[in-house]
Amino acid sequence: MNRRVILSSRPKGVPQAKHFSIDEAPVPDLAEGEFLIRNAYWSADPAQRGWANDAPNYLPPVAIGDPMRGFAVGKVIESRNPDYAEGDAVTGMFGWQTHAVSNGENVDRKVTETDLPLSLALGVLGLNGITAYFCLLEVCAPKAGETVVVSTAAGAVGSAVGQIAKIKGCRTVGITGSDEKAELCRQRFGYDLAINYKTENVAKAIKAACPDGVDCYFDNTSGPISDAVMANLAKGARIAICGTAAIQDWDPLPQGPRVHRQLLVARARMQGFIAFDYQARFPEALSQLADWVREGKLSYNEHVLDGLAAAPGAIAMLYRGENTGKLVIRVD
Amino acid sequence: MNRRVILSSRPKGVPQAKHFSIDEAPVPDLAEGEFLIRNAYWSADPAQRGWANDAPNYLPPVAIGDPMRGFAVGKVIESRNPDYAEGDAVTGMFGWQTHAVSNGENVDRKVTETDLPLSLALGVLGLNGITAYFCLLEVCAPKAGETVVVSTAAGAVGSAVGQIAKIKGCRTVGITGSDEKAELCRQRFGYDLAINYKTENVAKAIKAACPDGVDCYFDNTSGPISDAVMANLAKGARIAICGTAAIQDWDPLPQGPRVHRQLLVARARMQGFIAFDYQARFPEALSQLADWVREGKLSYNEHVLDGLAAAPGAIAMLYRGENTGKLVIRVD
């Protein structure tokens, strides 16, 4: 049987455990060209909030009664497709279900780094690492010696951003939500400085940490933390809008301080980023990221929830900032 | 005697006539290397609001008791500098005074388009035209066939932006503040469509005018008009923040709808612009702009206030949107 995490009602804002139910359905027979994947890990991602809501987005919303859309990694256990053999490891948009039938269209890639753990395909060798790589290097475009500020600095994307910025010769300042995470930022992810936004005045702390201003800001929050960083821009600053974790609901648009004059005075640039736009270049990023992992230059942290019953509460847990590292669900 | 428009008290927000006084002072003797300019026209510019306020800016504030900082054009009437001869036309930051002593440092350029009116050096062949040229072509970077939306579309900068966008093969939509100005936009400045923001719902009008979304938005306002445009971005949109005419006061920062998710979903870019950053390339722009004027491709509109007594109220008049075209003061 295929056990599935179903979106059973429409959330407004962050999906909570109550918006999901778990059911069982027969595993469908395979048609010619199809293959069956047994998922090993599901990913829990901030983007799932947008997919669960019925609001304008870059993908249509998940229908009520459908398995929750989500990334997964697993192995092919049966195949009627010559390109996929039993035993192949694959990652893609397989949804929150134990078994997924695919014709290959929703496969992101075969996982070929067989020397590294399979679950990394959902994190540092998945969309998180790819997002960190392209959003930092293409949108922020940091130069050696510049100061790079990262929000959600200890998270799955942020921790990779900070380390890639260090690899590129930048000074890094991380913003995170606890003293433990701040310590993790400094000790494990190599940040030069880390700020705990729950106990410090972020605007003052950023001003002290960045006396010449912020050259690059990698923003995963879009809320009051960003407002504090925006008050400290260096001339020519680049702000990448990668995520909006601080905002629970975008309908109607929440109010915040207008950024126009800050952008004008600093001749700064604020730009939105979606990783899928770089799909043709994913292999370049994955090859580089895997090499950095093997060389010990790129650390990662996983937070594993054990068993599919933990999945319904996972997105809300992300938005409460309770995870330490990339949040995945081990599919039992 | 040198008649001067003095900043006599510090405004908060838009400088009004009451913040200025007019005085007379002796014209200083010239030292070696200096020359004396008799101003013919002063420019009234939105940027003067920022210069008059004691707030962080890209130039220090004008000191109380000093002549108001401002652009002017005039002729050299006496010279002890071999590079400037009596009769040379010059434009630069000569201030709101009849007579300015210069050593050349505050001269932007000698005006060499002697076939065209002298006052154009303050408008379409001055910082307004230069701003339109670089901010549109470098920050918005429009491609032929794209839709370009311009706020303050009939103004000194906006009218040039709309026409340059048409020259580059774009579709242009202007936003302006009266039916007369909307008519001017369509008839004189070649806009495909013009919206009167005082009588129309701008968000709906933009949506109707731009069914495929706004590719480029040249923003001179930074207020509710911009919020309406931001709700209609095309994928990959570029928003140039050139001016902030809709906001009376930036201290404290005014609230408005957060732009982060709109930028993210559209992968759009919002960027501040200051013309001085392109100073090395001004000759390129001026030569092209003068050619377009001569070829009849670039129309301009001047609003001339007659006599220096009109200067103290000129900046407030700009912010009330009462000028029709580039606002200059003829210095009597």
mmCIF file with all atom_site columns, all heavy atoms in Angstrom, chain A residues 57 227 254 256 258 261 267-268 270-272 277, chain B residues 57 227 250 254 256 258 261 267-268 270-272 277:
data_model
loop_
_atom_site.group_PDB
_atom_site.id
_atom_site.type_symbol
_atom_site.label_atom_id
_atom_site.label_alt_id
_atom_site.label_comp_id
_atom_site.label_asym_id
_atom_site.label_entity_id
_atom_site.label_seq_id
_atom_site.pdbx_PDB_ins_code
_atom_site.Cartn_x
_atom_site.Cartn_y
_atom_site.Cartn_z
_atom_site.occupancy
_atom_site.B_iso_or_equiv
_atom_site.pdbx_formal_charge
_atom_site.auth_seq_id
_atom_site.auth_comp_id
_atom_site.auth_asym_id
_atom_site.auth_atom_id
_atom_site.pdbx_PDB_model_num
ATOM 1   N N   . ASN A 1 57  ? 1.288  32.267 -7.328  1.00 0.00 ? 57  ASN A N   1
ATOM 2   C CA  . ASN A 1 57  ? 2.583  31.701 -7.009  1.00 0.00 ? 57  ASN A CA  1
ATOM 3   C C   . ASN A 1 57  ? 3.208  31.252 -8.316  1.00 0.00 ? 57  ASN A C   1
ATOM 4   O O   . ASN A 1 57  ? 2.613  31.387 -9.370  1.00 0.00 ? 57  ASN A O   1
ATOM 5   C CB  . ASN A 1 57  ? 2.391  30.519 -6.045  1.00 0.00 ? 57  ASN A CB  1
ATOM 6   C CG  . ASN A 1 57  ? 3.558  30.372 -5.091  1.00 0.00 ? 57  ASN A CG  1
ATOM 7   O OD1 . ASN A 1 57  ? 4.703  30.340 -5.520  1.00 0.00 ? 57  ASN A OD1 1
ATOM 8   N ND2 . ASN A 1 57  ? 3.272  30.308 -3.811  1.00 0.00 ? 57  ASN A ND2 1
ATOM 9   N N   . ASP A 1 227 ? 14.480 44.574 7.596   1.00 0.00 ? 227 ASP A N   1
ATOM 10  C CA  . ASP A 1 227 ? 14.370 46.021 7.781   1.00 0.00 ? 227 ASP A CA  1
ATOM 11  C C   . ASP A 1 227 ? 15.614 46.544 8.507   1.00 0.00 ? 227 ASP A C   1
ATOM 12  O O   . ASP A 1 227 ? 16.130 47.617 8.180   1.00 0.00 ? 227 ASP A O   1
ATOM 13  C CB  . ASP A 1 227 ? 13.128 46.368 8.599   1.00 0.00 ? 227 ASP A CB  1
ATOM 14  C CG  . ASP A 1 227 ? 11.847 45.814 7.964   1.00 0.00 ? 227 ASP A CG  1
ATOM 15  O OD1 . ASP A 1 227 ? 11.853 45.533 6.740   1.00 0.00 ? 227 ASP A OD1 1
ATOM 16  O OD2 . ASP A 1 227 ? 10.862 45.650 8.696   1.00 0.00 ? 227 ASP A OD2 1
ATOM 17  N N   . PRO A 1 254 ? 1.442  42.552 3.759   1.00 0.00 ? 254 PRO A N   1
ATOM 18  C CA  . PRO A 1 254 ? 1.732  43.188 5.048   1.00 0.00 ? 254 PRO A CA  1
ATOM 19  C C   . PRO A 1 254 ? 2.478  44.512 4.835   1.00 0.00 ? 254 PRO A C   1
ATOM 20  O O   . PRO A 1 254 ? 3.123  44.713 3.808   1.00 0.00 ? 254 PRO A O   1
ATOM 21  C CB  . PRO A 1 254 ? 2.642  42.169 5.734   1.00 0.00 ? 254 PRO A CB  1
ATOM 22  C CG  . PRO A 1 254 ? 3.271  41.408 4.618   1.00 0.00 ? 254 PRO A CG  1
ATOM 23  C CD  . PRO A 1 254 ? 2.287  41.388 3.482   1.00 0.00 ? 254 PRO A CD  1
ATOM 24  N N   . GLY A 1 256 ? 5.346  47.351 5.854   1.00 0.00 ? 256 GLY A N   1
ATOM 25  C CA  . GLY A 1 256 ? 6.694  47.430 6.409   1.00 0.00 ? 256 GLY A CA  1
ATOM 26  C C   . GLY A 1 256 ? 7.302  48.742 5.973   1.00 0.00 ? 256 GLY A C   1
ATOM 27  O O   . GLY A 1 256 ? 6.690  49.471 5.187   1.00 0.00 ? 256 GLY A O   1
ATOM 28  N N   . ARG A 1 258 ? 9.098  51.440 3.917   1.00 0.00 ? 258 ARG A N   1
ATOM 29  C CA  . ARG A 1 258 ? 9.397  51.554 2.478   1.00 0.00 ? 258 ARG A CA  1
ATOM 30  C C   . ARG A 1 258 ? 10.911 51.523 2.250   1.00 0.00 ? 258 ARG A C   1
ATOM 31  O O   . ARG A 1 258 ? 11.663 52.209 2.935   1.00 0.00 ? 258 ARG A O   1
ATOM 32  C CB  . ARG A 1 258 ? 8.838  52.858 1.916   1.00 0.00 ? 258 ARG A CB  1
ATOM 33  C CG  . ARG A 1 258 ? 7.331  52.850 1.790   1.00 0.00 ? 258 ARG A CG  1
ATOM 34  C CD  . ARG A 1 258 ? 6.839  54.060 0.993   1.00 0.00 ? 258 ARG A CD  1
ATOM 35  N NE  . ARG A 1 258 ? 5.395  54.032 0.860   1.00 0.00 ? 258 ARG A NE  1
ATOM 36  C CZ  . ARG A 1 258 ? 4.742  53.348 -0.076  1.00 0.00 ? 258 ARG A CZ  1
ATOM 37  N NH1 . ARG A 1 258 ? 5.420  52.656 -0.984  1.00 0.00 ? 258 ARG A NH1 1
ATOM 38  N NH2 . ARG A 1 258 ? 3.432  53.353 -0.129  1.00 0.00 ? 258 ARG A NH2 1
ATOM 39  N N   . ARG A 1 261 ? 13.935 54.744 -0.604  1.00 0.00 ? 261 ARG A N   1
ATOM 40  C CA  . ARG A 1 261 ? 15.000 55.733 -0.440  1.00 0.00 ? 261 ARG A CA  1
ATOM 41  C C   . ARG A 1 261 ? 16.315 55.074 -0.027  1.00 0.00 ? 261 ARG A C   1
ATOM 42  O O   . ARG A 1 261 ? 17.391 55.518 -0.411  1.00 0.00 ? 261 ARG A O   1
ATOM 43  C CB  . ARG A 1 261 ? 14.597 56.817 0.568   1.00 0.00 ? 261 ARG A CB  1
ATOM 44  C CG  . ARG A 1 261 ? 15.616 57.962 0.572   1.00 0.00 ? 261 ARG A CG  1
ATOM 45  C CD  . ARG A 1 261 ? 15.053 59.295 1.003   1.00 0.00 ? 261 ARG A CD  1
ATOM 46  N NE  . ARG A 1 261 ? 16.068 60.338 0.845   1.00 0.00 ? 261 ARG A NE  1
ATOM 47  C CZ  . ARG A 1 261 ? 16.260 61.035 -0.269  1.00 0.00 ? 261 ARG A CZ  1
ATOM 48  N NH1 . ARG A 1 261 ? 15.498 60.825 -1.321  1.00 0.00 ? 261 ARG A NH1 1
ATOM 49  N NH2 . ARG A 1 261 ? 17.210 61.949 -0.337  1.00 0.00 ? 261 ARG A NH2 1
ATOM 50  N N   . ARG A 1 267 ? 22.289 53.299 -3.998  1.00 0.00 ? 267 ARG A N   1
ATOM 51  C CA  . ARG A 1 267 ? 22.322 52.736 -5.355  1.00 0.00 ? 267 ARG A CA  1
ATOM 52  C C   . ARG A 1 267 ? 22.314 51.217 -5.245  1.00 0.00 ? 267 ARG A C   1
ATOM 53  O O   . ARG A 1 267 ? 23.091 50.506 -5.914  1.00 0.00 ? 267 ARG A O   1
ATOM 54  C CB  . ARG A 1 267 ? 23.589 53.101 -6.119  1.00 0.00 ? 267 ARG A CB  1
ATOM 55  C CG  . ARG A 1 267 ? 23.771 54.559 -6.376  1.00 0.00 ? 267 ARG A CG  1
ATOM 56  C CD  . ARG A 1 267 ? 24.333 55.302 -5.210  1.00 0.00 ? 267 ARG A CD  1
ATOM 57  N NE  . ARG A 1 267 ? 25.268 56.329 -5.674  1.00 0.00 ? 267 ARG A NE  1
ATOM 58  C CZ  . ARG A 1 267 ? 25.673 57.331 -4.956  1.00 0.00 ? 267 ARG A CZ  1
ATOM 59  N NH1 . ARG A 1 267 ? 25.208 57.493 -3.712  1.00 0.00 ? 267 ARG A NH1 1
ATOM 60  N NH2 . ARG A 1 267 ? 26.542 58.182 -5.450  1.00 0.00 ? 267 ARG A NH2 1
ATOM 61  N N   . ALA A 1 268 ? 21.474 50.715 -4.373  1.00 0.00 ? 268 ALA A N   1
ATOM 62  C CA  . ALA A 1 268 ? 21.467 49.285 -4.081  1.00 0.00 ? 268 ALA A CA  1
ATOM 63  C C   . ALA A 1 268 ? 20.444 48.576 -4.960  1.00 0.00 ? 268 ALA A C   1
ATOM 64  O O   . ALA A 1 268 ? 19.576 49.202 -5.557  1.00 0.00 ? 268 ALA A O   1
ATOM 65  C CB  . ALA A 1 268 ? 21.142 49.060 -2.611  1.00 0.00 ? 268 ALA A CB  1
ATOM 66  N N   . MET A 1 270 ? 17.808 45.159 -5.165  1.00 0.00 ? 270 MET A N   1
ATOM 67  C CA  . MET A 1 270 ? 17.061 44.147 -4.408  1.00 0.00 ? 270 MET A CA  1
ATOM 68  C C   . MET A 1 270 ? 16.403 43.258 -5.455  1.00 0.00 ? 270 MET A C   1
ATOM 69  O O   . MET A 1 270 ? 15.692 43.756 -6.328  1.00 0.00 ? 270 MET A O   1
ATOM 70  C CB  . MET A 1 270 ? 16.011 44.887 -3.585  1.00 0.00 ? 270 MET A CB  1
ATOM 71  C CG  . MET A 1 270 ? 15.348 44.133 -2.501  1.00 0.00 ? 270 MET A CG  1
ATOM 72  S SD  . MET A 1 270 ? 14.387 45.362 -1.516  1.00 0.00 ? 270 MET A SD  1
ATOM 73  C CE  . MET A 1 270 ? 13.738 44.273 -0.278  1.00 0.00 ? 270 MET A CE  1
ATOM 74  N N   . GLN A 1 271 ? 16.647 41.954 -5.371  1.00 0.00 ? 271 GLN A N   1
ATOM 75  C CA  . GLN A 1 271 ? 16.229 41.098 -6.488  1.00 0.00 ? 271 GLN A CA  1
ATOM 76  C C   . GLN A 1 271 ? 15.700 39.771 -5.984  1.00 0.00 ? 271 GLN A C   1
ATOM 77  O O   . GLN A 1 271 ? 16.295 39.149 -5.095  1.00 0.00 ? 271 GLN A O   1
ATOM 78  C CB  . GLN A 1 271 ? 17.443 40.893 -7.417  1.00 0.00 ? 271 GLN A CB  1
ATOM 79  C CG  . GLN A 1 271 ? 17.124 40.169 -8.706  1.00 0.00 ? 271 GLN A CG  1
ATOM 80  C CD  . GLN A 1 271 ? 18.276 40.227 -9.706  1.00 0.00 ? 271 GLN A CD  1
ATOM 81  O OE1 . GLN A 1 271 ? 19.230 40.984 -9.521  1.00 0.00 ? 271 GLN A OE1 1
ATOM 82  N NE2 . GLN A 1 271 ? 18.198 39.436 -10.748 1.00 0.00 ? 271 GLN A NE2 1
ATOM 83  N N   . GLY A 1 272 ? 14.599 39.325 -6.578  1.00 0.00 ? 272 GLY A N   1
ATOM 84  C CA  . GLY A 1 272 ? 14.018 38.043 -6.213  1.00 0.00 ? 272 GLY A CA  1
ATOM 85  C C   . GLY A 1 272 ? 14.690 36.896 -6.948  1.00 0.00 ? 272 GLY A C   1
ATOM 86  O O   . GLY A 1 272 ? 15.203 37.052 -8.053  1.00 0.00 ? 272 GLY A O   1
ATOM 87  N N   . ASP A 1 277 ? 14.904 28.691 -12.127 1.00 0.00 ? 277 ASP A N   1
ATOM 88  C CA  . ASP A 1 277 ? 15.365 29.449 -13.300 1.00 0.00 ? 277 ASP A CA  1
ATOM 89  C C   . ASP A 1 277 ? 16.771 29.030 -13.736 1.00 0.00 ? 277 ASP A C   1
ATOM 90  O O   . ASP A 1 277 ? 17.182 29.337 -14.854 1.00 0.00 ? 277 ASP A O   1
ATOM 91  C CB  . ASP A 1 277 ? 15.359 30.956 -12.991 1.00 0.00 ? 277 ASP A CB  1
ATOM 92  C CG  . ASP A 1 277 ? 13.951 31.502 -12.792 1.00 0.00 ? 277 ASP A CG  1
ATOM 93  O OD1 . ASP A 1 277 ? 12.995 30.849 -13.264 1.00 0.00 ? 277 ASP A OD1 1
ATOM 94  O OD2 . ASP A 1 277 ? 13.807 32.566 -12.176 1.00 0.00 ? 277 ASP A OD2 1
ATOM 95  N N   . ASN B 1 57  ? 22.190 61.510 3.389   1.00 0.00 ? 57  ASN B N   1
ATOM 96  C CA  . ASN B 1 57  ? 21.967 61.720 1.970   1.00 0.00 ? 57  ASN B CA  1
ATOM 97  C C   . ASN B 1 57  ? 23.293 61.506 1.272   1.00 0.00 ? 57  ASN B C   1
ATOM 98  O O   . ASN B 1 57  ? 24.296 61.215 1.905   1.00 0.00 ? 57  ASN B O   1
ATOM 99  C CB  . ASN B 1 57  ? 21.446 63.150 1.754   1.00 0.00 ? 57  ASN B CB  1
ATOM 100 C CG  . ASN B 1 57  ? 20.528 63.244 0.552   1.00 0.00 ? 57  ASN B CG  1
ATOM 101 O OD1 . ASN B 1 57  ? 20.882 62.782 -0.518  1.00 0.00 ? 57  ASN B OD1 1
ATOM 102 N ND2 . ASN B 1 57  ? 19.362 63.805 0.743   1.00 0.00 ? 57  ASN B ND2 1
ATOM 103 N N   . ASP B 1 227 ? 3.171  51.223 -5.602  1.00 0.00 ? 227 ASP B N   1
ATOM 104 C CA  . ASP B 1 227 ? 2.556  50.018 -5.037  1.00 0.00 ? 227 ASP B CA  1
ATOM 105 C C   . ASP B 1 227 ? 1.617  49.388 -6.071  1.00 0.00 ? 227 ASP B C   1
ATOM 106 O O   . ASP B 1 227 ? 1.560  48.159 -6.203  1.00 0.00 ? 227 ASP B O   1
ATOM 107 C CB  . ASP B 1 227 ? 1.776  50.359 -3.766  1.00 0.00 ? 227 ASP B CB  1
ATOM 108 C CG  . ASP B 1 227 ? 2.650  51.064 -2.723  1.00 0.00 ? 227 ASP B CG  1
ATOM 109 O OD1 . ASP B 1 227 ? 3.892  50.935 -2.799  1.00 0.00 ? 227 ASP B OD1 1
ATOM 110 O OD2 . ASP B 1 227 ? 2.089  51.746 -1.856  1.00 0.00 ? 227 ASP B OD2 1
ATOM 111 N N   . TRP B 1 250 ? 11.010 61.132 4.996   1.00 0.00 ? 250 TRP B N   1
ATOM 112 C CA  . TRP B 1 250 ? 11.567 59.774 5.143   1.00 0.00 ? 250 TRP B CA  1
ATOM 113 C C   . TRP B 1 250 ? 12.076 59.509 6.554   1.00 0.00 ? 250 TRP B C   1
ATOM 114 O O   . TRP B 1 250 ? 12.741 58.504 6.786   1.00 0.00 ? 250 TRP B O   1
ATOM 115 C CB  . TRP B 1 250 ? 12.696 59.553 4.133   1.00 0.00 ? 250 TRP B CB  1
ATOM 116 C CG  . TRP B 1 250 ? 12.179 59.364 2.743   1.00 0.00 ? 250 TRP B CG  1
ATOM 117 C CD1 . TRP B 1 250 ? 12.048 60.327 1.787   1.00 0.00 ? 250 TRP B CD1 1
ATOM 118 C CD2 . TRP B 1 250 ? 11.690 58.146 2.135   1.00 0.00 ? 250 TRP B CD2 1
ATOM 119 N NE1 . TRP B 1 250 ? 11.514 59.790 0.632   1.00 0.00 ? 250 TRP B NE1 1
ATOM 120 C CE2 . TRP B 1 250 ? 11.300 58.454 0.825   1.00 0.00 ? 250 TRP B CE2 1
ATOM 121 C CE3 . TRP B 1 250 ? 11.551 56.840 2.602   1.00 0.00 ? 250 TRP B CE3 1
ATOM 122 C CZ2 . TRP B 1 250 ? 10.778 57.492 -0.045  1.00 0.00 ? 250 TRP B CZ2 1
ATOM 123 C CZ3 . TRP B 1 250 ? 11.028 55.890 1.729   1.00 0.00 ? 250 TRP B CZ3 1
ATOM 124 C CH2 . TRP B 1 250 ? 10.643 56.216 0.426   1.00 0.00 ? 250 TRP B CH2 1
ATOM 125 N N   . PRO B 1 254 ? 8.454  55.861 6.186   1.00 0.00 ? 254 PRO B N   1
ATOM 126 C CA  . PRO B 1 254 ? 7.012  55.607 6.081   1.00 0.00 ? 254 PRO B CA  1
ATOM 127 C C   . PRO B 1 254 ? 6.747  54.128 5.813   1.00 0.00 ? 254 PRO B C   1
ATOM 128 O O   . PRO B 1 254 ? 7.608  53.420 5.293   1.00 0.00 ? 254 PRO B O   1
ATOM 129 C CB  . PRO B 1 254 ? 6.605  56.457 4.881   1.00 0.00 ? 254 PRO B CB  1
ATOM 130 C CG  . PRO B 1 254 ? 7.844  56.591 4.065   1.00 0.00 ? 254 PRO B CG  1
ATOM 131 C CD  . PRO B 1 254 ? 9.005  56.556 5.020   1.00 0.00 ? 254 PRO B CD  1
ATOM 132 N N   . GLY B 1 256 ? 4.676  51.012 3.985   1.00 0.00 ? 256 GLY B N   1
ATOM 133 C CA  . GLY B 1 256 ? 4.010  50.692 2.724   1.00 0.00 ? 256 GLY B CA  1
ATOM 134 C C   . GLY B 1 256 ? 3.971  49.191 2.584   1.00 0.00 ? 256 GLY B C   1
ATOM 135 O O   . GLY B 1 256 ? 4.545  48.476 3.414   1.00 0.00 ? 256 GLY B O   1
ATOM 136 N N   . ARG B 1 258 ? 4.940  45.556 1.797   1.00 0.00 ? 258 ARG B N   1
ATOM 137 C CA  . ARG B 1 258 ? 6.247  44.906 1.588   1.00 0.00 ? 258 ARG B CA  1
ATOM 138 C C   . ARG B 1 258 ? 6.357  44.393 0.151   1.00 0.00 ? 258 ARG B C   1
ATOM 139 O O   . ARG B 1 258 ? 5.441  43.744 -0.354  1.00 0.00 ? 258 ARG B O   1
ATOM 140 C CB  . ARG B 1 258 ? 6.413  43.739 2.558   1.00 0.00 ? 258 ARG B CB  1
ATOM 141 C CG  . ARG B 1 258 ? 6.662  44.185 3.988   1.00 0.00 ? 258 ARG B CG  1
ATOM 142 C CD  . ARG B 1 258 ? 7.071  43.009 4.863   1.00 0.00 ? 258 ARG B CD  1
ATOM 143 N NE  . ARG B 1 258 ? 7.320  43.450 6.219   1.00 0.00 ? 258 ARG B NE  1
ATOM 144 C CZ  . ARG B 1 258 ? 8.481  43.975 6.647   1.00 0.00 ? 258 ARG B CZ  1
ATOM 145 N NH1 . ARG B 1 258 ? 9.494  44.094 5.808   1.00 0.00 ? 258 ARG B NH1 1
ATOM 146 N NH2 . ARG B 1 258 ? 8.612  44.367 7.884   1.00 0.00 ? 258 ARG B NH2 1
ATOM 147 N N   . ARG B 1 261 ? 7.802  39.671 -1.613  1.00 0.00 ? 261 ARG B N   1
ATOM 148 C CA  . ARG B 1 261 ? 7.242  38.514 -2.315  1.00 0.00 ? 261 ARG B CA  1
ATOM 149 C C   . ARG B 1 261 ? 6.954  38.832 -3.780  1.00 0.00 ? 261 ARG B C   1
ATOM 150 O O   . ARG B 1 261 ? 7.105  37.974 -4.651  1.00 0.00 ? 261 ARG B O   1
ATOM 151 C CB  . ARG B 1 261 ? 5.981  37.996 -1.618  1.00 0.00 ? 261 ARG B CB  1
ATOM 152 C CG  . ARG B 1 261 ? 5.549  36.665 -2.208  1.00 0.00 ? 261 ARG B CG  1
ATOM 153 C CD  . ARG B 1 261 ? 4.793  35.784 -1.245  1.00 0.00 ? 261 ARG B CD  1
ATOM 154 N NE  . ARG B 1 261 ? 4.514  34.489 -1.860  1.00 0.00 ? 261 ARG B NE  1
ATOM 155 C CZ  . ARG B 1 261 ? 5.330  33.442 -1.784  1.00 0.00 ? 261 ARG B CZ  1
ATOM 156 N NH1 . ARG B 1 261 ? 6.463  33.530 -1.124  1.00 0.00 ? 261 ARG B NH1 1
ATOM 157 N NH2 . ARG B 1 261 ? 5.014  32.309 -2.380  1.00 0.00 ? 261 ARG B NH2 1
ATOM 158 N N   . ARG B 1 267 ? 10.828 37.265 -9.873  1.00 0.00 ? 267 ARG B N   1
ATOM 159 C CA  . ARG B 1 267 ? 12.299 37.336 -10.059 1.00 0.00 ? 267 ARG B CA  1
ATOM 160 C C   . ARG B 1 267 ? 12.661 38.735 -10.551 1.00 0.00 ? 267 ARG B C   1
ATOM 161 O O   . ARG B 1 267 ? 13.458 38.910 -11.485 1.00 0.00 ? 267 ARG B O   1
ATOM 162 C CB  . ARG B 1 267 ? 12.819 36.351 -11.100 1.00 0.00 ? 267 ARG B CB  1
ATOM 163 C CG  . ARG B 1 267 ? 12.590 34.911 -10.797 1.00 0.00 ? 267 ARG B CG  1
ATOM 164 C CD  . ARG B 1 267 ? 11.180 34.459 -11.113 1.00 0.00 ? 267 ARG B CD  1
ATOM 165 N NE  . ARG B 1 267 ? 11.208 33.109 -11.662 1.00 0.00 ? 267 ARG B NE  1
ATOM 166 C CZ  . ARG B 1 267 ? 10.168 32.336 -11.761 1.00 0.00 ? 267 ARG B CZ  1
ATOM 167 N NH1 . ARG B 1 267 ? 8.980  32.759 -11.333 1.00 0.00 ? 267 ARG B NH1 1
ATOM 168 N NH2 . ARG B 1 267 ? 10.301 31.148 -12.280 1.00 0.00 ? 267 ARG B NH2 1
ATOM 169 N N   . ALA B 1 268 ? 12.055 39.717 -9.919  1.00 0.00 ? 268 ALA B N   1
ATOM 170 C CA  . ALA B 1 268 ? 12.225 41.091 -10.372 1.00 0.00 ? 268 ALA B CA  1
ATOM 171 C C   . ALA B 1 268 ? 13.357 41.769 -9.614  1.00 0.00 ? 268 ALA B C   1
ATOM 172 O O   . ALA B 1 268 ? 13.796 41.296 -8.565  1.00 0.00 ? 268 ALA B O   1
ATOM 173 C CB  . ALA B 1 268 ? 10.928 41.866 -10.179 1.00 0.00 ? 268 ALA B CB  1
ATOM 174 N N   . MET B 1 270 ? 14.825 45.575 -8.215  1.00 0.00 ? 270 MET B N   1
ATOM 175 C CA  . MET B 1 270 ? 14.477 46.956 -7.853  1.00 0.00 ? 270 MET B CA  1
ATOM 176 C C   . MET B 1 270 ? 15.796 47.623 -7.484  1.00 0.00 ? 270 MET B C   1
ATOM 177 O O   . MET B 1 270 ? 16.520 47.117 -6.618  1.00 0.00 ? 270 MET B O   1
ATOM 178 C CB  . MET B 1 270 ? 13.539 46.879 -6.648  1.00 0.00 ? 270 MET B CB  1
ATOM 179 C CG  . MET B 1 270 ? 12.811 48.111 -6.284  1.00 0.00 ? 270 MET B CG  1
ATOM 180 S SD  . MET B 1 270 ? 11.586 47.630 -4.986  1.00 0.00 ? 270 MET B SD  1
ATOM 181 C CE  . MET B 1 270 ? 10.793 49.199 -4.751  1.00 0.00 ? 270 MET B CE  1
ATOM 182 N N   . GLN B 1 271 ? 16.112 48.723 -8.130  1.00 0.00 ? 271 GLN B N   1
ATOM 183 C CA  . GLN B 1 271 ? 17.470 49.262 -7.982  1.00 0.00 ? 271 GLN B CA  1
ATOM 184 C C   . GLN B 1 271 ? 17.456 50.780 -7.930  1.00 0.00 ? 271 GLN B C   1
ATOM 185 O O   . GLN B 1 271 ? 16.753 51.428 -8.712  1.00 0.00 ? 271 GLN B O   1
ATOM 186 C CB  . GLN B 1 271 ? 18.320 48.771 -9.172  1.00 0.00 ? 271 GLN B CB  1
ATOM 187 C CG  . GLN B 1 271 ? 19.786 49.113 -9.064  1.00 0.00 ? 271 GLN B CG  1
ATOM 188 C CD  . GLN B 1 271 ? 20.625 48.374 -10.105 1.00 0.00 ? 271 GLN B CD  1
ATOM 189 O OE1 . GLN B 1 271 ? 20.137 47.458 -10.765 1.00 0.00 ? 271 GLN B OE1 1
ATOM 190 N NE2 . GLN B 1 271 ? 21.863 48.770 -10.251 1.00 0.00 ? 271 GLN B NE2 1
ATOM 191 N N   . GLY B 1 272 ? 18.240 51.333 -7.014  1.00 0.00 ? 272 GLY B N   1
ATOM 192 C CA  . GLY B 1 272 ? 18.343 52.778 -6.886  1.00 0.00 ? 272 GLY B CA  1
ATOM 193 C C   . GLY B 1 272 ? 19.332 53.359 -7.869  1.00 0.00 ? 272 GLY B C   1
ATOM 194 O O   . GLY B 1 272 ? 20.300 52.695 -8.268  1.00 0.00 ? 272 GLY B O   1
ATOM 195 N N   . ASP B 1 277 ? 26.770 58.980 -10.568 1.00 0.00 ? 277 ASP B N   1
ATOM 196 C CA  . ASP B 1 277 ? 27.604 57.786 -10.726 1.00 0.00 ? 277 ASP B CA  1
ATOM 197 C C   . ASP B 1 277 ? 28.043 57.569 -12.175 1.00 0.00 ? 277 ASP B C   1
ATOM 198 O O   . ASP B 1 277 ? 28.987 56.823 -12.431 1.00 0.00 ? 277 ASP B O   1
ATOM 199 C CB  . ASP B 1 277 ? 26.853 56.540 -10.245 1.00 0.00 ? 277 ASP B CB  1
ATOM 200 C CG  . ASP B 1 277 ? 26.604 56.561 -8.741  1.00 0.00 ? 277 ASP B CG  1
ATOM 201 O OD1 . ASP B 1 277 ? 27.311 57.307 -8.035  1.00 0.00 ? 277 ASP B OD1 1
ATOM 202 O OD2 . ASP B 1 277 ? 25.703 55.834 -8.284  1.00 0.00 ? 277 ASP B OD2 1
#
